[in-house]
Amino acid sequence: MTQPLLERRHQLLSPSYRLFYDEPLHLASGRGAWLTDVHGRRFLDAYNNVVPAGHCHPRIVAAIVAQTERLNTHTRYLHDTIVDYADALLATFPFPAQATFTCSGSEANDLAIRIARHVTGGDGLIITENAYHGVTSTTAEISPSLGKSVNLGTHVRTVPAPGAGTDFAAGVRSAIADLQRHGIRPALLVVDTIFSSDGIFSDPAGFLAPAVEAIHEAGGLFLADEVQPGFGRTGSHMWGFERHSITPDMVSMGKPMGNGYPVAGLVCQPDVIQNFGSSIRYFNTFGGNPVAMAAAMATLGVIQDENLMENASTVGAYLRTQLARHPGIHDVRGAGLFIGAELANEAIASRVVNEMRARGVLISSSGPAGNVLKIRPPLIFSREQADILNDTAAAALEVALADG
């Protein structure tokens, strides 16, 4: 069954598509933290941050179906749900803000860059060395993790991720100086606040503050990309930037916002969006549509009502402690249920990822060297499921290390 489908996929779909794992998964259904393939085999999903409430959460499914049966238009008409959701979403922010809704995190980041250029009059963008911020033409230019075939813009500067011994703010100041030296006015510092593609760096909390101060001193803005760490994944806070006691000018979000339904957004401080919105119209046919807002409202409600942040904090801390005990794991990083486990090299990491898939647990890898196990299960992940993951990781590591 799998080979004919692979052949049809190869014939009919763009070659730019990629599949996970040496042996691709052919999935049929999902519920909670479990996925089931077409053969009836179950896999524990410890990778999909797209569904913080777990696959096919009944409350979210019901909200999507009910709104689909009633009405689905766009934001050029009045509807209650977009306003109600904006109210609920913005209540989670520690500063006054306004929201613009899009379909994807790429669109949200693309819009943020437009806004920053308009507000500052600058063009220079600063990112980390292995960042990922989207797939539009503009966001691909600030996504070096897409590979060397995707060129960065001439107005883009990269800085080292905040690893051991790295002064992140010093890197940002150096990038600002280089932009200015080339006659480019700094417009925006963009940071994924968990540094997911760079290998997952979360601590010490607060290290981002001097970098944000540096970009503000240079007349630029700061965008906190919360597409991956947002919506409670770090456990202690709803948003990753809160761990650093900073106030972003803009915050982008996506993936987990609708628990699998395509919805995303950009939250801006009022003076920032007022400067842009008073002179430039932004319209997105599907961004903020009633069904998307129903999905997002139900997802936020589940995260809050089922105490998923607290669960991410306790289960994440437990899992990090367990993983740190294994031979072959050099470092365990992260916050809440966003965990990076560093191994010696990419070959070992790849073997572990594929061995775990063969044993029924799904994770991935990250970092510029591809040697960091990337673990980010749904926020409903239980302690018992963490034990399954940990035991499976131990077995996979034993195989990978034995093979060298």
Side-chain angles (χ1 to χ4, degrees):
M1 184 182 296
T2 299
Q3 190 57 39
L5 183 59
L6 283 171
E7 291 172 359
R8 292 185 64 218
R9 179 185 172 99
H10 179 72
Q11 178 184 2
L12 299 171
L13 299 184
S14 164
S16 62
Y17 282 114
R18 302 291 188 272
L19 288 165
F20 282 140
Y21 310 113
D22 292 342
E23 182 184 354
L25 278 170
H26 187 180
L27 296 173
S29 63
R31 176 70 66 162
W34 293 96
L35 292 165
T36 304
D37 73 6
V38 292
H39 307 292
R41 184 184 178 190
R42 294 208 309 167
F43 294 82
L44 183 62
D45 184 1
Y47 183 67
N48 267 297
N49 72 324
V50 180
V51 285
H55 296 278
C56 301
H57 191 289
R59 176 173 164 183
I60 301 169
V61 171
I64 292 170
V65 171
Q67 185 60 56
T68 302
E69 291 178 335
R70 187 163 50 248
L71 174 70
N72 196 24
T73 54
H74 51 71
T75 56
R76 298 299 289 273
Y77 302 109
L78 287 172
H79 66 88
D80 295 333
T81 316
I82 188 172
V83 178
D84 291 342
Y85 178 66
D87 193 17
L89 175 69
L90 295 176
T92 69
F93 281 81
F95 55 86
Q98 292 177 294
T100 305
F101 296 108
T102 63
C103 301
S104 69
S106 294
E107 287 182 346
N109 285 336
D110 192 289
L111 176 60
I113 293 169
R114 286 182 61 194
I115 292 171
R117 287 173 169 164
H118 177 84
V119 171
T120 67
D123 195 45
L125 307 175
I126 301 171
I127 56 170
T128 52
E129 288 179 336
N130 202 52
Y132 171 72
H133 295 293
V135 294
T136 66
S137 294
T138 299
T139 57
E141 288 188 343
I142 60 165
S143 297
S145 66
L146 292 174
K148 294 182 179 180
S149 295
V150 180
N151 294 326
L152 302 184
T154 56
H155 53 282
V156 176
R157 297 295 183 274
T158 63
V159 299
T166 300
D167 185 337
F168 185 67
V172 171
R173 291 184 185 279
S174 177
I176 291 169
D178 190 66
L179 286 168
Q180 293 171 333
R181 188 178 303 117
H182 288 84
I184 302 172
R185 181 183 299 180
L188 190 64
L189 168 64
V190 187
V191 166
D192 161 10
T193 58
I194 199 73
F195 296 87
S196 174
S197 296
D198 290 288
I200 307 170
F201 296 97
S202 55
D203 294 300
F207 71 75
L208 273 178
V212 174
E213 181 181 353
I215 192 66
H216 283 159
E217 288 174 353
L221 302 181
F222 171 61
L223 168 65
D225 184 337
E226 295 286 341
V227 171
Q228 298 201 60
F231 289 97
R233 177 155 292 279
T234 62
S236 59
H237 298 85
M238 180 64 77
W239 308 105
F241 70 81
E242 292 182 277
R243 299 180 65 253
H244 295 281
S245 300
I246 54 179
T247 302
D249 300 288
M250 298 181 284
V251 179
S252 58
M253 58 203 71
K255 294 186 196 305
M257 194 170 180
N259 207 57
Y261 192 93
V263 55
L266 182 70
V267 166
C268 300
Q269 292 198 44
D271 60 331
V272 172
I273 195 61
Q274 174 63 30
N275 187 303
F276 177 83
S278 62
S279 57
I280 297 176
R281 181 179 62 176
Y282 178 81
F283 173 64
N284 184 318
T285 301
F286 297 112
N289 73 73
V291 176
M293 294 293 93
M297 180 70 89
T299 301
L300 182 60
V302 169
I303 291 171
Q304 294 172 329
D305 296 345
E306 297 186 8
N307 301 313
L308 296 191
M309 280 178 56
E310 293 84 348
N311 186 67
S313 180
T314 56
V315 175
Y318 171 73
L319 181 54
R320 289 195 303 276
T321 299
Q322 298 300 99
L323 290 170
R325 296 172 177 167
H326 296 310
I329 293 182
H330 297 185
D331 186 29
V332 177
R333 302 187 288 268
L337 281 171
F338 209 130
I339 300 171
E342 185 171 337
L343 305 181
N345 56 54
E346 182 178 11
I348 294 175
S350 178
R351 184 64 189 274
V352 168
V353 168
N354 282 286
E355 276 292 323
M356 290 184 70
R357 176 256 181 266
R359 296 165 188 265
V361 176
L362 307 179
I363 65 167
S364 187
S365 59
S366 180
N371 64 322
V372 180
L373 302 181
K374 187 177 183 180
I375 301 167
R376 49 176 199 182
L379 303 188
I380 59 167
F381 215 60
S382 69
R383 188 181 175 111
E384 292 73 23
Q385 289 167 339
D387 284 335
I388 294 171
L389 186 153
N390 182 60
D391 292 344
T392 306
L397 276 163
E398 185 176 358
V399 172
L401 295 173
D403 290 349

